[in-house]
Amino acid sequence: MKLKTKAACGIWNKSLTSPWMRRLVGSGTCTEKRANDNGQGGTFALYSLLCRHAKIKTIPNQHRTDEELTTYSRTTFREKSFAAKTKRWLERHASRKNMLLMLVLVGTCMVIGDGILTPAISDIVVLVAVVILVGLFSMQHYGTDKVGWLFAPIVLLWFILIGVIGIINIFKYDTSVLRAFSPVHIYRYFKRGGRERWTSLGGIMLCITGTEALFADLAHFPVSAVQIAFTVIVFPCLLLAYTGQAAYLMKNKDHVFDAFYRSIPEGIYWPVFIIATLAAIVASQATISATFSIIKQALALGCFPRVKVVHTSKKFLGQIYIPDINWILMILCIAVTAGFKNQSQIGNAYGTAVVIVMLATTLLMTLIMLLVWHCHWILVLIFTALSLVVECTYFFAVLFKVNQGGWVPLVIAAAFLIIMFVWHYGTVKRYEFEMHSKVSMAWILGLGPSLGLVRVPGIGLVYTELASGVPHIFSHFITNLPAIHSVVVFVCVKYLPVYTVPEEERFLVKRIGPKSFHMFRCVARYGYKDLHKKDDDFEKKLFDNLFLFVRLESMMEGCSDSDEYSLYGQQTERSREDLVMKSGGVSNSVDTTISSDSIVPVRSPAHANNMTTSSGQVSSQTDELEFLNSCRDAGVVHIMGNTVVRARRDSRFYKKIAVDYIYAFLRKICRENSVIFHVPHESLLNVGQVFYV
């Protein structure tokens, strides 16, 4: 229970999401120089912030239109500045991008290990602890929003109690312990002890546990709330509690292994024990929520297999529940609780996880200071040196305890690291395959308006990972089947390194080829905090944006001063206003970004006059809208690729194991895209293909 005292420190701030506390501390809006991504915390949030300032993302699906999003905030710097040189150094080699990603994955995996170890640390009887753990994980699907109002009084009362008990023990046993605040004593401590005193530093890490979970949970409350809570409540109460325990040990040296509970006055022992247990549950809830949060971020950036993500609160976007991860955490947590009878071993494991997370965060902070804040390199060097001196000191101290339980987070992190790295490797290779094998527009244009096939009534939604170009799956489809739908829409669902994409900026619609081809592209853009809606809603918004695109395109074409024209975002807003005026003031609630690289034929007046209307070709906006509506009424078919990745025969054995076994297994058990978008089975068409890496 000693560790629970520390881990709970970050959770008191969850109460600050309540309305009365928000009024007390203010909105807490983030300033430009804060190490978070618009209020989002965690290693992946920092990585996303860096990805917007340098081309370090390993999946190169960025497009210039993405930078026009209102949430795609970034700063610029001079070409000859140290930040520019650092940016070019990172972008120059793929190995450096992979090393940075590996650092992020290691930090993330350690936080996951933290989420397993925190609930396991308790002085309660193992059987009772297991029952509490099963109950805790079984309640996760309700979300913290339902019980969050209880967290504030529990943890606030907990800190007040340990602070008061600390004051009582100081005056009761030995007030001279206050001299320990002098830094001279730590010097004498190390001088007298040698290696034993050095390794004892690992136990001090338990005093600050909870901060790593707090950072991952940062989106749940304002930054100013954290600062006020830690300054006014957490830090003073912890100092009093530890000083009081030290005073108690001065008179009771044989109680060192159970100093906290033995130092509690007898009259309030059981009330404190109950509050301590409740505070431990709150602390566990925080680390579990942090684990869900960072896994959602990893999933969005292509570093974790697709799992079901459920939003548990309509008020707070960051409160989510991941069923598969929840039960895995429960099983591992029970195994750790039952497997380690000695709680100090779990404490050693916990300290190892925490210090590695801090090291990873510090290294990411160094890059943020250079690329985002544009700090002078001397200031960055001073910060990095001072931080690493402190953190490496603790790191080397906990290394001595690897064989005393410190190996547990390393094993857990290694298992998750293999899963995340292999999944990301397979994702990158699939994207590279799509890029290298995409179909040229010359080949599409050579097929003619009918694409060399029978165009049957209906709309075919072809899902692809490409945000530009025609995917190989389409050529594979039309070369093996004799027919294709009258309207083809290539749908790309893309995650961007931003925390959210506003609903009105989500869809990017383009036309592919001449109008007579009836081919479009729709890119649906999401941030790592966004959640897919059900397919009915997604499909409706897709078609709303498609129809709006046709209207705006026709209006811009009519207003063009020359035969060549482009559709720009600036014209979109003006044309939307014109469209509203012409439609009697009624505006669609969705917005469509029309990119300037839309492929539109350059037509001369003579060619325009010679156009004729046929069953496969429309000559006006009204006719095309009616044609699209009739095709939609005829039926919508979702065409998805089922790409199988295999290692080449001449590949090394570890690559075959990673691709043919681990990645194949993960692909088999993860959620299919059809399930994510809730595509009905009767409207689903899978197209299989195999490629070798």
Side-chain angles (χ1 to χ4, degrees), residues 47 55 113 188 198 264-265 348 382 395 397 468 501 513 518-519 527 529 624:
Y47 180 68
K55 296 180 181 179
R188 294 174 180 173
W198 179 269
I264 299 174
N348 294 336
I382 294 173
F395 176 71
S468 62
V501 175
H518 303 306
M519 296 173 64
K529 299 288 287 186
E624 186 168 17

Side-chain angles (χ1 to χ4, degrees), residues 440-486:
S440 66
M441 276 307 303
W443 184 78
I444 294 291
L445 294 174
L447 296 176
S450 66
L451 300 179
L453 304 168
V454 177
R455 302 295 292 265
V456 298
I459 297 179
L461 301 181
V462 182
Y463 289 81
T464 174
E465 296 181 4
L466 293 180
S468 62
V470 178
H472 179 263
I473 182 180
F474 182 70
S475 64
H476 185 67
F477 177 83
I478 63 177
T479 53
N480 287 276
L481 291 177
I484 191 65
H485 300 88
S486 299

